[in-house]
Every structure is written in C-alpha cells, then in structure tokens.
Amino acid sequence: MHRGLTPFANWLGGAAPFFTFLNPVRLAGRIVILEAQFHHIKALLARLRLDSSARLVVLVDKDGQQIAVHGELGDLDTTSLASLAAGNVAATGGMAKLIGESEFPTLSHEGEKESIHICVIGRVLLLVVFDDRSSLGLVKLRSKQLSHELARVFAEIEQESAAARANSSLPFNGITDEEIDSLFSPA
C-alpha cells in the first residue's frame, strides 16, 4: 500500500490520475482532483512542513478521507488519524453551535512530546503534527498563510468538477457495475 494516497488510489496501484470525494451536503456531487492538482497540493504540504518545522502534514476531507500526506510517517496510522480528526472537528462543531458559533476554524491538541494543530479550510482539514522542533505559534502562522492558497486550489477544483458534472465528463461515468465487478472476479 502506497503511503500518502487515498485507499482508492492504492486500489489502482498508486497510479490514479484523480481522486473523487462524495459530499452531498456541500457540493451535491463528486469533486475530481486531477494529477497536476494533486501534485500542487503535495507541494504546498511540503512547503508547510518545511516552513513550520513540522513532523507531518496531512490533508483530509471532512468525512475523514485522507487526501494527501507529507512528512515523517514512522508507524503512524494516517488513515485512523484522518478519521479521528474529522470526528474531532465534527464534535467540536457541535459544541460551537451550542454556544452560537458556526464552527471553530482551528483546533490544537498539545501533548508532552507531540502536538496536533487542525485548520478547517472549507471542506478540507489541514492537520499538522509537530514536536519540540517547532511551536504552536509558528504552526498556526504558517498554516493560516497556507490555508488561503489551499482554499483557492479547492475552489478551482470544485468549479472544474461542477463543469465536468454539467458536461457529464467525469471519469468513470461510462463504467458499469458489471465492469467493476469483473475486476474482482477470476479471469
């Protein structure tokens, strides 16, 4: 399994030219991240990791689907981290509503050795895992700076995906259930 790719990309051997996400509440359909856009996102995460002296940077959608990862993974289960972060944001979103806020745009969890900062950017979550090589202030500053660029990238992705849906030109539109099933049946 290739680290840093979605399970769907792993299923395709890590060579998927796009990634799809379903979010009926916000977009009423799928978004498609093209390979060039994915590499741009990965470059942004690499820059954030370097600029903030973070150990790891993870981009996740609000449903807990891992989009991209950059940094020192070690034996960290980033799939679980992505799911738990999305649940954390959903739970604190409920608390925010109780006190009259729409959501908390950032969350921070400070541990003895490792800390996590989560930044909500529209439909995605930016997770930064850092240790004593960095500080919460630096991570917050660099994350906020990068969040504007990520928001712009995802606005472009959403526009292009909406246009593709309108033209019925999304990848896999012509693939039937039988064709998918044939991938998993013996030859």
Side-chain angles (χ1 to χ4, degrees):
M1 187 156 149
H2 298 276
R3 289 234 187 235
L5 295 177
T6 65
F8 183 72
N10 283 313
W11 176 68
L12 291 175
F18 62 89
F19 299 84
T20 61
F21 304 94
L22 184 61
N23 188 336
V25 176
R26 302 210 36 138
L27 290 179
R30 297 176 194 195
I31 66 165
V32 177
I33 299 175
L34 301 175
E35 186 175 10
Q37 294 165 325
F38 178 73
H39 289 300
H40 183 184
I41 290 167
K42 288 280 288 183
L44 292 174
L45 298 184
R47 188 177 83 205
L48 174 61
R49 179 176 178 250
L50 181 67
D51 290 350
S52 66
S53 299
R55 185 168 78 85
L56 179 69
V57 181
V58 184
L59 194 64
V60 177
D61 76 359
K62 282 190 172 180
D63 294 328
Q65 177 71 39
Q66 179 179 299
I67 299 170
V69 177
H70 184 78
E72 301 168 23
L73 295 176
D75 60 355
L76 180 65
D77 180 358
T78 56
T79 302
S80 293
L81 179 65
S83 296
L84 291 167
N88 187 343
V89 169
T92 57
M95 289 190 295
K97 285 178 181 33
L98 287 174
I99 63 168
E101 294 289 330
S102 61
E103 69 181 354
F104 295 124
T106 62
L107 306 169
S108 297
H109 302 284
E110 294 184 64
E112 192 174 308
K113 296 179 182 175
E114 302 274 342
S115 299
I116 298 175
H117 177 69
I118 303 170
C119 183
V120 179
I121 308 168
R123 69 181 291 137
V124 297
L125 310 175
L126 178 63
L127 284 68
V128 182
V129 179
F130 61 101
D131 55 20
D132 60 359
R133 293 177 286 182
S134 190
S135 69
L136 180 58
L138 179 61
V139 168
K140 280 184 167 184
L141 174 68
R142 297 300 187 199
S143 296
K144 186 172 185 172
Q145 290 169 340
L146 185 79
S147 69
H148 301 296
E149 194 164 351
L150 278 172
R152 195 170 57 252
V153 167
F154 275 90
E156 177 184 306
I157 289 168
E158 289 176 9
Q159 281 182 326
E160 290 176 7
S161 295
R165 273 194 312 278
N167 295 332
S168 297
S169 63
L170 284 174
F172 294 138
N173 267 358
I175 296 179
T176 65
D177 289 340
E178 291 79 24
E179 290 171 318
I180 292 172
D181 289 341
S182 73
L183 293 172
F184 299 103
S185 61

